[in-house]
Amino acid sequence: MPRIKKKIFDILDDTRIDNDIERYFNIFMMILISINVLAVIMETEEAFFQKYQPIFYVLEVVSIAIFTIEYILRIWSCTEDPKYRSPILGRIQYALKPMAIIDLIAFLPFYLPLGGLDLRFVRIIRLFRIFRLFKMGRYAQSLNKLVRVIKAKKEELLVTLFSGCILLVIASSLVYLVERDAQPEVFSSIPASLWRGVVTLTTVGYGDIYPKTVIGKVISGAIAVLGIGLFAMPAGIIASGFAAELQSEKENKNVVICPHCGKAIGEVGAEDEKDQMD
């Protein structure tokens, strides 16, 4: 039994893919999640759903069974991880992880209607199956790489976010000051002007609220131009993070580890050269 638990834990482990079984399992789960998300989308087409309703039901039952078994096996085998070694507290700690909660949400709404809940509420619960899309992050190494990049660049991204918030407040305040007399019913306060600030900063321009004064138009135009640069900054930050991540992976692949001391061969050579010089 301990060997079986260890094998299951290795297959379900999110941090590495060491053999074909784990790789095939990840591919299978990604395909299953994608099919489920597509089913949720297609069910909104009433005629299509009515025509293939039995197929949708079978897919739902099979998927729920697989997701339920997967979740139970994860909770059971998580004690193989030293962080969750405790049989009770460790499993509770693991179950409270964000990804574990998403795993639970992926199948829990299916069982809730069995308690006789209102059917209108059941239709709302079914929309929660869209959370299965977030489970794909567990099985895609590329998405894991994106998470590492965001963590590495979180300070720069936060600075950009704060800059956007400050610019939004300034834009809304300026437009309110110059437009409140011309359009008091539209720009009645700074909070009411925030909608115009968001639309202008994102350069969407719905046209429902727009300045009529010359100064207001100039300010809106300047803010729209600044918005283009502001939203380009996060893209550049993430792109540079990806470049650094790829460079780091390339360097790690080229490093040869010494089987005796566990250090990189380059590091060992540098130490030996230093000893010879001494």
Side-chain angles (χ1 to χ4, degrees):
M1 186 63 68
R3 288 199 300 269
I4 295 176
K5 181 191 288 189
K6 181 65 168 61
K7 183 62 177 179
I8 292 176
F9 175 78
D10 291 337
I11 294 175
L12 300 177
D13 188 17
D14 309 327
T15 59
R16 56 190 176 83
I17 300 177
D18 293 337
N19 54 52
D20 290 338
I21 297 178
E22 297 170 20
R23 185 176 297 106
Y24 293 148
F25 173 78
N26 279 265
I27 294 173
F28 169 76
M29 293 303 298
M30 289 186 66
I31 294 174
L32 181 63
I33 294 167
S34 300
I35 293 175
N36 273 263
V37 174
L38 180 62
V40 172
I41 295 173
M42 296 307 298
E43 283 181 11
T44 58
E45 291 286 344
E46 191 64 28
F48 187 85
F49 175 69
Q50 292 296 333
K51 183 178 181 180
Y52 298 101
Q53 186 172 3
I55 298 178
F56 281 108
Y57 180 76
V58 172
L59 174 64
E60 176 70 2
V61 172
V62 172
S63 300
I64 288 299
I66 294 175
F67 287 136
T68 304
I69 294 173
E70 180 207 14
Y71 181 80
I72 293 174
L73 290 177
R74 285 186 181 276
I75 296 297
W76 175 62
S77 64
C78 71
T79 53
E80 292 295 320
D81 191 330
K83 295 187 296 184
Y84 311 108
R85 182 68 66 183
S86 175
I88 298 178
L89 295 179
R91 289 188 169 96
I92 294 176
Q93 184 181 0
Y94 180 85
L96 294 178
K97 291 175 54 180
M99 287 304 300
I101 294 175
I102 292 176
D103 289 340
L104 183 63
I105 294 176
F107 65 84
L108 187 61
F110 178 83
Y111 299 104
L112 293 181
L114 301 181
L117 299 177
D118 186 81
L119 290 179
R120 291 171 297 178
F121 184 61
V122 171
R123 294 172 190 156
I124 297 174
I125 290 179
R126 287 170 62 187
L127 295 178
F128 278 94
R129 288 187 297 159
I130 202 70
F131 277 100
R132 292 172 187 170
L133 180 63
F134 292 96
K135 285 168 63 67
M136 292 186 68
R138 185 188 294 280
Y139 308 108
Q141 295 298 320
S142 298
L143 291 181
N144 291 333
K145 187 182 299 181
L146 176 60
V147 172
R148 292 196 300 270
V149 169
I150 293 176
K151 288 182 178 180
K153 297 293 183 179
K154 60 182 178 181
E155 290 82 5
E156 294 88 338
L157 293 174
L158 285 175
V159 170
T160 304
L161 176 62
F162 290 146
S163 300
C165 292
I166 294 172
L167 186 58
L168 175 61
V169 173
I170 294 175
S172 303
S173 302
L174 290 177
V175 172
Y176 164 73
L177 290 175
V178 300
E179 291 288 329
R180 60 180 177 179
D181 295 332
Q183 304 182 76
E185 72 284 352
V186 176
F187 297 96
S188 58
S189 63
I190 293 179
S193 303
L194 285 174
W195 169 246
R196 174 59 196 172
V198 171
V199 171
T200 305
L201 193 60
T202 56
T203 67
V204 174
Y206 288 118
D208 54 345
I209 301 175
Y210 54 90
K212 293 182 178 180
T213 64
V214 176
I215 300 178
K217 292 179 180 179
V218 171
I219 293 175
S220 296
I223 296 301
V225 173
L226 290 175
I228 296 175
L230 182 66
F231 282 92
M233 289 174 59
I237 292 172
I238 294 177
S240 65
F242 265 111
E245 180 72 18
L246 293 175
Q247 182 64 27
S248 177
E249 288 186 355
K250 184 178 179 180
E251 293 176 354
N252 291 335
K253 289 180 180 179
N254 294 331
V255 173
V256 179
I257 304 299
C258 176
H260 303 288
C261 64
K263 296 183 179 180
I265 297 297
E267 294 178 1
V268 174
E271 291 179 357
D272 292 342
E273 183 178 354
K274 182 179 178 181
D275 293 339
Q276 292 176 1
M277 293 178 63
D278 293 340

